[in-house]
Amino acid sequence: MTNTTATTTDQPILEIENLSISFFTRLREIPAVMDFSCKVMPGEAMGLVGESGCGKSTVALAVMRDLGRNGAIVGGRIKFKGRDLTEMSEDGLRKIRGSEIAMIYQEPMASLNPAMKIGAQLAEVPMIHQNMNRDAAMALARTVVEDVRLPDPDRILNAYPHQLSGGQQQRIVIAMALMSKPALLILDEPTTALDVTVEAGIVDLVKELGRKYGTSLLFISHNLGLILDVCDRICVMYSGEAVETGAVTEVFDSMRHPYAQALFRSIPLPGADKNTRPLVSIPGNFPLPHERPQGCNFGPRCDYFVAGRCDLCDLPMIRLDGSDRHATRCLRHDEIDWAAKETLAETIAPLPPGPIVLNCVDLKKYYEVSANAILGGGEKRVVKANETLTFHAREGETLAIVGESGCGKSTLAKVLLGLETATEGKITLFGEDIQDTPIENRKTRTVADVQMVFQNPFDTLNPSMSVGRQIIRALEVFGQGADGVERHARMLELLDLVKLPRSFAERMPRQLSGGQKQRVGIARAFAGGAKVVVADEPVSALDVSVQAAVTDLLMEIQRKNRTTLLFISHDLSIVRYLSDRVMVMYLGHVVEMGTTDQVFAPPYHPYTEALLSAVPVADTRVVKKRIVLEGDIPSAMNPPSGCPFQTRCRWKSEVEGHLCDTALPPLQELADGHQIRCHLTRDILEKMDPVFTIAAE
C-alpha cells in the first residue's frame, strides 16, 4: 500500500458529499448514484469496488464533470482542494482537467491518437496546460517515459501506439496523466485487460509514482486483491450507494456490511477448494436502477434481512465507534455475529478421472507471414505459436492452461477445435486422429464432442435471435432430436442444466445480464452432448460474484456428464480453485506440468514462480514474495535462442556457462506427473521458497 502522508488536520484533496447522479431518458429519470460520500486525503489511495453497474465509473466521471448530455448531478457536492466542482464554469474545469486532476481508463488505446507519435502526444500535455515550449516539453516527455520504466525512451517517443504492447501503451497513458504532476489521479480498471505479470509491474509503478509525485489516487477495480495491494482506504459500492467504507485492513478483517462479506465469500482465497470448500455465490441478481427495492438495496439478496426493519426507509451510512472513518449502511451491523464461521456449501466427493480422451504428442503450429503483411511480398517469416506440445486429458478432469498473452493458449484451442490444423504432431480424440482435419471436414459427432465456451458472452450470441431459438439452432446443427417438439423439450432441459428459468427461452440477449449470457453460451456448448469443453477465459469478463456461480455451474455439469474441461485462464486464483492439473505455457512451450498441488508449491519453474507472485490475493494474512518480470514476452516470430524464458529469468545466473542462451532445457520429471523444462539442477529447484505463506494469527 502507499505511504500515506495525510494527517487528520490536512484538507482533503477530494471530498464528495451526499452525491446523487441521474441519467435522463425519454421514458424516465434513472438514478445511478444516490447519497454517495467519500474523502481522499493528500497522498492517500482510495479504492472503489463493487459489481458492474454499481456506479463506480459514474462517480469518477462526475469528478471529471464528464457525464455526457444525459447525465446530471442532481444533489450533493464534489469539492477538490476546497473548491466546489459542481459550481465551476467550463473554463475553470478545463484548467483543472488534465493538469490537477487526471484520469486513466481501462483501455489504453481509447486515450491514444493512433495517427500521432508517442512523443508528440506526451509533449501536448505541458504545452497546452503549462504553455511550455516544444523542446522543454519533449525533454520532460523523455524523463517521464524513463519514470514509467520503459526501455529505450528515444525509440518509444518516436513510435506510434500500435507499435507498442498493451502493457507499454498503458505505461504511456500513465506517463501522459503524470506529465502535469496532478494532485489527483483517477484510475478506472487500469489493468483489467493486461496479463497478471504486466499488471504487477503497473501496480508497483502506480504506487511508486504516487509516492514520488505526492499524487492522491482514486483507484476503481472489481479486484479486491489489487485494492489490498494499492490502496490505503476502500469504499464498497452496491447499486449506486456506498455500503461500507474504511481503512483497507479494517474493512478486509472486520467487515460490517453483508454485501462486503458476500463478496469475499465468492472469490477463491487460499484454502478454497471446489470439493471441500466450494465458493458461496451471492443469490439473486443485481437490481436494475429503476427496480431497486424499498429500504436496503441489498435486502433481497441478504442472509440477514428482516422484513419490517430493513425495508422501511432509505438507510443512512452509520459511523462505527472506535474506528478510523469506518462506516456501514447496515441497520443490523451491531446484531450480526461477524466472527461466526460461514455456512459452507455442500462438500462434494472428488470426481475420479477416467480414461484418456484427448492426447497431444509433439504438437506444432507455425504460421508463415510475409515481411510486408499489408501489401504482401517480401521475405517469408515463421511465427512459432505452439512448439512440440505433449499432454493428455482424462474423462472428468479439469486441465488448466495458463500463461501470458502470446504464449500460444488460444492457438492450441483453435487447433483442438479444428479452426486451425496442426503443422506437425498428433492429436487423438477418443482414438481418432484429428490434427489434420479442419472443422468443416470433421464428422458432426466429432464437432459436437469438442465445444468451446468463449471469453466474452456479449459477442457470442446473435442479438436478433431469442435465447431458446439459439439453443435449438445448435441442436439442429448437431442432429439432436427427431423433430421440433423433441428439440424444444431438450432446449428447456438445457436451460434447467444451466439454472436459467424456462421463461428465458423467449428473451432476447439484450435482456440478459453478463452472467446469464454466459450461461446461455454454456447451454449451447452442451447442446450436442460435448465430451470435451475448451473454456477460454470464461469468467474473466464477469463480476466476481457471478464468477463463483458460473464456475460452480461448470463444475456441476462436469460431474453430471463426466466432461473433460480444458480451462484457459491467466487468473491463477480461479485455476487453483477448480483445476485438477495445470499446464504452464511460455512462448509456445510447455514449461511446467503437474497436479494443482504440485504446480502451486515449490519447486517451481522460474516462470511459474513469477506468475504466482503476480497474483493479487485479497487476504491480509497472506505474505507474498514479490517478483516483477522485466520486459515483455518476446515475439514468437523471433524467439530467443536456448531457453525461451532466459531473457526474463531471475535464476539464470545459477546455471553454469551460457547453457540458458544456447540450449533448449530438458524436461525434468521431479515427481510422478510433475515436469519442469529448466536448466536449473534438481538441488537448486528444491531449495526454492514458497511464493505464498500465511502469517500466524
Side-chain angles (χ1 to χ4, degrees):
M1 287 175 282
T2 57
N3 291 337
T4 306
T5 57
T7 66
T8 54
T9 57
D10 285 332
Q11 181 188 52
I13 288 292
L14 178 69
E15 188 170 13
I16 302 175
E17 300 175 348
N18 309 114
L19 179 67
S20 294
I21 302 166
S22 290
F23 290 90
F24 295 86
T25 69
R26 286 179 295 176
L27 296 178
R28 61 171 71 91
E29 175 186 351
I30 299 175
V33 174
M34 299 89 66
D35 187 35
F36 177 86
S37 299
C38 84
K39 190 183 292 184
V40 183
M41 304 302 287
E44 190 171 67
M46 167 69 81
L48 281 186
V49 302
E51 295 172 279
S52 298
C54 71
K56 307 185 299 292
S57 297
T58 303
V59 168
L61 292 172
V63 174
M64 297 296 288
R65 292 293 310 278
D66 185 23
L67 291 170
R69 294 176 60 185
N70 295 335
I73 295 171
V74 295
R77 297 190 300 174
I78 304 172
K79 294 201 292 189
F80 173 70
K81 292 184 175 179
R83 295 170 286 176
D84 192 343
L85 298 179
T86 62
E87 296 179 354
M88 195 170 287
S89 67
E90 274 299 319
D91 285 342
L93 289 168
R94 200 173 291 116
K95 292 176 183 176
I96 288 178
R97 290 193 198 111
S99 56
E100 294 189 68
I101 305 176
M103 187 164 178
I104 296 171
Y105 297 89
Q106 179 174 339
E107 175 50 58
M109 278 304 290
S111 305
L112 296 173
N113 185 333
M116 286 179 68
K117 291 184 177 181
I118 296 298
Q121 296 192 55
L122 290 173
E124 266 191 343
V125 179
M127 289 169 68
I128 291 171
H129 290 290
Q130 300 170 28
N131 294 320
M132 191 177 288
N133 67 58
R134 181 174 177 80
D135 289 344
M138 287 298 291
L140 178 60
R142 193 183 190 287
T143 300
V144 177
V145 167
E146 288 177 338
D147 282 346
V148 297
R149 298 200 291 269
L150 281 170
D152 195 356
D154 294 322
R155 180 189 70 81
I156 294 288
L157 291 173
N158 203 41
Y160 288 96
H162 72 270
Q163 295 174 304
L164 308 183
S165 69
Q168 289 174 332
Q169 289 172 359
Q170 194 62 287
R171 286 170 187 260
I172 289 299
V173 171
I174 291 171
M176 190 179 296
L178 293 171
M179 287 290 285
S180 296
K181 299 181 182 178
L184 176 67
L185 181 59
I186 303 171
L187 303 101
D188 190 358
E189 300 277 11
T191 61
T192 299
L194 305 177
D195 288 310
V196 287
T197 50
V198 179
E199 177 181 79
I202 296 290
V203 165
D204 282 359
L205 176 68
V206 166
K207 292 191 290 185
E208 179 187 315
L209 294 177
R211 288 191 291 266
K212 177 175 179 178
Y213 291 104
T215 302
S216 300
L217 306 178
L218 186 62
F219 192 94
I220 298 170
S221 180
H222 67 273
N223 188 323
L224 289 164
L226 269 186
I227 294 294
L228 181 59
D229 275 351
V230 175
C231 299
D232 306 296
R233 306 189 62 78
I234 183 175
C235 179
V236 182
M237 293 187 69
Y238 181 80
S239 189
E241 296 179 326
V243 295
E244 185 165 6
T245 185
V248 161
T249 52
E250 195 167 28
V251 172
F252 273 54
D253 294 340
S254 306
M255 61 197 70
R256 290 296 180 267
H257 194 279
Y259 175 61
Q261 183 187 64
L263 268 185
F264 276 87
R265 288 178 175 175
S266 64
I267 58 177
L269 296 174
D273 178 86
K274 65 180 178 182
N275 297 313
T276 59
R277 293 196 63 193
L279 298 177
V280 181
S281 58
I282 304 175
N285 292 311
F286 195 78
L288 294 173
H290 58 283
E291 296 177 353
R292 291 186 176 106
Q294 177 74 18
C296 176
N297 283 341
F298 188 60
R301 307 173 74 186
C302 181
D303 291 337
Y304 310 107
F305 177 79
V306 175
R309 283 188 64 193
C310 301
D311 54 0
L312 278 183
C313 59
D314 292 340
L315 306 184
M317 287 292 279
I318 302 168
R319 187 79 171 264
L320 301 179
D321 295 334
S323 62
D324 178 20
R325 289 154 54 197
H326 192 181
T328 180
R329 199 181 293 270
C330 178
L331 286 178
R332 302 195 60 212
H333 69 89
D334 56 353
E335 303 169 21
I336 297 169
D337 182 4
W338 299 100
K341 289 190 175 181
E342 63 184 280
T343 303
L344 296 176
E346 183 182 352
T347 300
I348 301 155
L351 183 66
I356 293 174
V357 298
L358 178 71
N359 195 34
C360 291
V361 180
D362 293 334
L363 176 68
K364 293 183 181 181
K365 178 58 185 176
Y366 294 171
Y367 295 96
E368 196 174 74
V369 297
S370 60
N372 190 329
I374 297 176
L375 301 177
E379 182 185 351
K380 295 286 186 180
R381 302 182 71 180
V382 174
V383 176
K384 298 180 178 181
N386 290 152
E387 188 71 78
T388 56
L389 304 183
T390 298
F391 68 94
H392 66 264
R394 296 182 177 274
E395 179 188 80
E397 179 182 52
T398 300
L399 173 64
I401 305 172
V402 302
E404 294 170 285
S405 300
C407 74
K409 306 187 301 292
S410 295
T411 298
L412 172 60
K414 291 175 185 176
V415 173
L416 294 177
L417 268 78
L419 301 175
E420 302 279 359
T421 54
T423 304
E424 287 183 28
K426 190 171 185 178
I427 308 172
T428 55
L429 178 70
F430 297 105
E432 177 189 356
D433 290 349
I434 61 171
Q435 67 276 355
D436 299 321
T437 312
I439 191 167
E440 61 268 21
N441 295 335
R442 288 186 178 182
K443 301 172 188 174
T444 301
R445 183 66 259 159
T446 304
V447 174
D449 279 346
V450 185
Q451 283 294 297
M452 190 161 185
V453 178
F454 295 90
Q455 176 174 353
N456 195 336
F458 306 95
D459 295 338
T460 56
L461 298 180
N462 187 330
S464 61
M465 194 181 286
S466 70
V467 165
R469 180 65 197 129
Q470 300 199 44
I471 297 174
I472 288 173
R473 176 64 183 142
L475 291 168
E476 291 171 350
V477 169
F478 296 138
Q480 301 292 304
D483 53 31
V485 174
E486 282 192 18
R487 283 190 283 271
H488 188 270
R490 177 59 181 152
M491 177 268 292
L492 295 177
E493 289 173 2
L494 286 164
L495 287 178
D496 294 341
L497 181 71
V498 297
K499 298 184 177 177
L500 285 176
R502 291 189 169 195
S503 60
F504 275 40
E506 305 302 320
R507 291 198 180 187
M508 304 300 285
R510 67 177 181 275
Q511 296 173 293
L512 307 184
S513 69
Q516 290 166 344
K517 287 178 183 175
Q518 193 61 292
R519 287 168 186 257
V520 174
I522 294 169
R524 200 170 53 179
F526 281 92
K531 300 291 192 299
V532 177
V533 171
V534 182
D536 190 359
E537 301 275 11
V539 296
S540 64
L542 306 177
D543 287 311
V544 288
S545 55
V546 183
Q547 281 183 10
V550 171
T551 301
D552 284 344
L553 172 66
L554 281 170
M555 296 296 98
E556 184 177 324
I557 295 173
Q558 181 184 49
R559 285 188 290 270
K560 182 176 180 180
N561 298 346
R562 293 196 61 81
T563 312
T564 300
L565 185 64
L566 301 185
F567 192 86
I568 298 173
S569 181
H570 69 271
D571 186 342
L572 292 182
S573 299
I574 290 282
V575 165
R576 184 173 195 168
Y577 170 69
L578 62 81
S579 65
D580 300 303
R581 289 192 302 130
V582 181
M583 183 167 84
V584 183
M585 292 184 65
Y586 184 81
L587 206 59
H589 293 263
V590 175
V591 296
E592 184 165 3
M593 171 121 48
T595 66
T596 304
D597 288 341
Q598 288 171 338
V599 171
F600 278 77
Y604 311 105
H605 185 279
Y607 178 57
T608 306
E609 181 191 42
L611 276 182
L612 292 172
S613 166
V615 177
V617 181
D619 191 332
T620 57
R621 300 170 302 153
V622 170
V623 179
K624 189 173 61 172
K625 186 189 295 184
R626 193 66 164 168
I627 304 163
V628 176
L629 289 179
E630 297 296 330
D632 296 310
I633 188 169
S635 168
M637 192 181 295
N638 186 27
S641 59
C643 173
F645 187 58
Q646 52 102 348
T647 58
R648 304 166 79 194
C649 182
R650 75 187 191 102
W651 290 88
K652 185 177 175 180
S653 61
E654 299 290 333
V655 178
E656 293 183 6
H658 300 283
L659 198 58
C660 295
D661 298 319
T662 57
L664 184 69
L667 200 60
Q668 302 184 51
E669 185 96 16
L670 298 182
D672 184 25
H674 188 199
Q675 300 173 330
I676 289 181
R677 187 177 290 280
C678 188
H679 285 303
L680 291 173
T681 64
R682 193 185 188 100
D683 289 345
I684 295 174
L685 287 169
E686 290 180 348
K687 289 177 183 175
M688 283 184 167
D689 295 323
V691 169
F692 295 108
T693 54
I694 297 181
E697 296 189 34

